[in-house]
Amino acid sequence: MILEANNIKKFFGKNEVLKDISFNVKEGEVICIIGPSGSGKSTLLRCLNRLEEIQAGTIQILGEEITAMKNINNLRKEIGMVFQLFNLFPNYTVLDNITMAPILLNKMSKKEAETKALALLEQVGLTDFKDVYPSTLSGGQKQRVAIARALEMGPRIMLFDEPTSALDPEMVGEVLKVMKDLAQAGMTMVVVTHEMGFAREVADRVIFMDGGYIVEENTPKELFSHPQSKRCQTFLSSVL
Ligand code: ADP
Ligand code: MG
């Protein structure tokens, strides 16, 4: 088991946005999380690497309780995260964006970090762009750099929060392709997405969230063809 979340609750003030969430992710699995806006998907991902603190429940990554971890960098090393809006550092080249964290955290020498980064740039199809600045890249290219950066530390699990939602339609495919390749290479992934085609094709399981709850969890085949709840049926009919 890579990740095990049990009965987690998250409040913003009095607003309970995660209500008794439990799920787990096994090594090599791809889990897609779908659901309407405001259902708690981003908050859930952010809790998994302690960008947000939970108020109840437990989250274990690789068997270790994350709320008990003294050094958050050890957790972040195991978890790669990719956001909707890339968050690349504008004043650093593509290569420096990727190598910065491991060098600053003394996890790798500069040479080691660069060798690894160049291999990752090849993997995401951006070898020729290593020395350019993010502003010269398209949205799809930026997101592929962000994926390479998240992979640089050698994470055991990758979290994606709507990685293609901010992209022009013609760039969605190139990013989904990189994610699909990653899944096929055996990476454990949790992906919040509106791309139902990707979920159907790549996910081992799909989780449907609404109102802070996991309402349904099933294989994509079952969930998309036989949604059990009215809420999931309504959601799917609005997006498919
Ligand atoms: P989703 O990603 O599914 O659209 P979110 O996790 O972003 O949903 O939001 C879930 C709920 O939590 C929403 O009601 C949202 O307004 C609220 N929320 C999210 N982030 C914060 C925050 N930093 N402070 C207060 N409320 C928040
Ligand atoms: Mg969100």
Side-chain angles (χ1 to χ4, degrees):
M1 205 70 86
I2 299 277
L3 186 151
E4 214 173 333
N6 283 308
N7 309 105
I8 64 181
K9 286 176 185 269
K10 169 73 191 168
F11 292 84
F12 287 113
K14 285 188 174 144
N15 187 14
E16 186 176 8
V17 299
L18 297 178
K19 300 166 180 165
D20 206 30
I21 297 278
S22 299
F23 73 108
N24 58 55
V25 189
K26 296 188 198 70
E27 179 146 36
E29 270 190 320
V30 177
I31 309 296
C32 282
I33 302 178
I34 63 172
S37 181
S39 55
K41 306 179 300 296
S42 295
T43 303
L44 175 58
L45 281 200
R46 291 168 60 81
C47 288
L48 299 180
N49 69 353
R50 284 187 68 184
L51 287 169
E52 300 286 354
E53 299 294 336
I54 55 175
Q55 276 75 52
T58 59
I59 300 172
Q60 293 186 351
I61 302 273
L62 299 164
E64 198 175 345
E65 181 53 46
I66 69 167
T67 49
M69 282 184 177
K70 294 222 166 52
N71 187 347
I72 207 99
N73 288 329
N74 291 339
L75 173 68
R76 302 268 164 82
K77 185 176 168 299
E78 310 290 357
I79 304 178
M81 185 142 180
V82 175
F83 301 90
Q84 191 174 347
L85 290 175
F86 336 120
N87 303 330
L88 299 177
F89 300 106
N91 300 326
Y92 291 88
T93 65
V94 163
L95 190 65
D96 289 341
N97 261 279
I98 299 173
T99 58
M100 191 179 323
I103 293 173
L104 283 177
L105 295 170
N106 284 319
K107 301 282 183 191
M108 293 181 203
S109 69
K110 185 162 194 277
K111 185 157 190 305
E112 194 185 346
E114 289 188 349
T115 304
K116 182 133 196 239
L118 290 173
L120 288 167
L121 280 173
E122 191 177 346
Q123 187 179 329
V124 302
L126 290 173
T127 305
D128 295 342
F129 295 84
K130 69 182 174 66
D131 296 320
V132 310
Y133 289 86
S135 62
T136 67
L137 299 175
S138 71
Q141 289 169 332
K142 283 181 197 167
Q143 195 58 301
R144 286 186 281 148
V145 172
I147 293 172
R149 182 176 62 179
L151 290 168
E152 170 82 356
M153 296 275 263
R156 295 289 302 277
I157 180 168
M158 286 280 285
L159 310 178
F160 294 87
D161 191 2
E162 298 195 25
T164 60
S165 295
L167 300 178
D168 290 334
E170 71 270 23
M171 290 165 190
V172 169
E174 67 193 58
V175 172
L176 293 180
K177 167 82 167 59
V178 165
M179 292 167 63
K180 196 174 151 189
D181 290 347
L182 199 55
Q184 274 166 358
M187 177 58 75
T188 307
M189 295 166 46
V190 178
V191 184
V192 173
T193 187
H194 291 300
E195 295 291 333
M196 297 302 145
F198 177 86
R200 199 188 279 264
E201 193 184 348
V202 182
D204 295 294
R205 279 182 289 139
V206 178
I207 286 173
F208 170 68
M209 283 184 72
D210 193 17
Y213 291 102
I214 291 180
V215 177
E216 283 190 39
E217 177 180 339
N218 217 327
T219 60
K221 193 162 179 282
E222 275 302 308
L223 191 130
F224 288 119
S225 52
H226 305 293
Q228 302 293 308
S229 64
K230 189 88 193 102
R231 283 195 280 177
C232 190
Q233 287 163 15
T234 305
F235 174 74
L236 289 177
S237 63
S238 74
V239 294
L240 288 177

